[in-house]
Amino acid sequence: MISHLDGRVSAVAPEGAVIEVGGVGLLVQCTPGTLATLRPGERARVATSLVVREDALTLFGFAADDERDVFELLQTASGVGPRLALAMLAVFTPDALRRAVAAEDVTALTRVPGIGRKGAQRIVLELAGRLGPPGVAGGRAQQGQLAAAGSGLPGAEPWRDQVRAGLLNLGWQAREADQAIAAVAADVQAASGAGGSNDGDPTGGGANGDGGQNGDGGGADGARAEVDVAAMLRAALRKLSRA
């Protein structure tokens, strides 16, 4: 098994990235949140999971080992393959998934494209107690990312294109994606105008386990902006699920 890749990012596309290791370019399928952390020409490390099929060897990449571990655990549930597991991690953070399963929140799980109510019930039943308890940092970091995103939100900011590409890859129509992105941008701007101090996720995601207390939003501005794309994508998906 290939546990991780450490090399130069050769290319980044909406569905994956090419990472050069030892002169070999390896195609890695990633969530939009992970892709947002990769920059062509820069060195990167991604945790990986190799899925072997009769007709293909597919490498999936993740920003953290925890995401990779949850990805592999999700596939032990009936009817959950690598593509669906990746879609689940595009919609939820690992800790949000743990909370949804622990709380038997079937409605939250059905927000993932490809998961119906019966499928969500089966996932809850089969994964109960196997994903482990959620950590404290996940929810706080998510809230900090959304609050931080309110500082400087120009109309042509790159996160919009990245989130749009992620939504299209998950099966949403372009018009629906644009409407969701506009709604998320408005919510973040409103939260920023209030000083980033709110009781839950400014996009209304607190009930789904993504919200929490405000974090520090620390770190370099460039790195913080990269992480914000994942938070924006999840916020847009919540908007779409309520439409």
Side-chain angles (χ1 to χ4, degrees), residues 1-106:
M1 175 180 172
I2 301 175
S3 180
H4 74 270
L5 297 179
D6 191 338
R8 185 179 65 86
V9 179
S10 297
V12 177
E15 70 281 359
V18 176
I19 298 180
E20 184 178 336
V21 180
V24 178
L26 298 173
L27 176 62
V28 186
Q29 305 295 314
C30 306
T31 65
T34 299
L35 289 174
T37 68
L38 305 178
R39 292 291 180 268
E42 296 184 1
R43 192 177 184 88
R45 180 191 184 280
V46 293
T48 58
S49 177
L50 179 63
V51 175
V52 180
R53 295 288 185 266
E54 290 183 359
D55 58 346
L57 299 176
T58 307
L59 201 58
F60 294 87
F62 308 90
D65 291 347
D66 186 36
E67 277 191 327
R68 187 262 320 280
D69 296 342
V70 169
F71 171 79
E72 293 177 347
L73 271 172
L74 288 173
Q75 294 177 71
T76 63
S78 302
V80 179
R83 297 294 178 184
L84 185 55
L86 197 69
M88 293 174 73
L89 286 169
V91 177
F92 296 103
T93 63
D95 273 354
L97 272 174
R98 291 184 178 105
R99 282 189 283 268
V101 171
E104 300 183 2
D105 192 346
V106 172

Side-chain angles (χ1 to χ4, degrees), residues 36 39 152-165 181 225-226 228-229 232:
R39 292 291 180 268
L153 198 67
E157 197 167 32
W159 72 264
R160 294 174 182 264
D161 291 336
Q162 292 172 296
V163 170
R164 190 176 191 273
I181 290 169
E226 293 170 357
D228 286 343
V229 177
M232 293 299 194

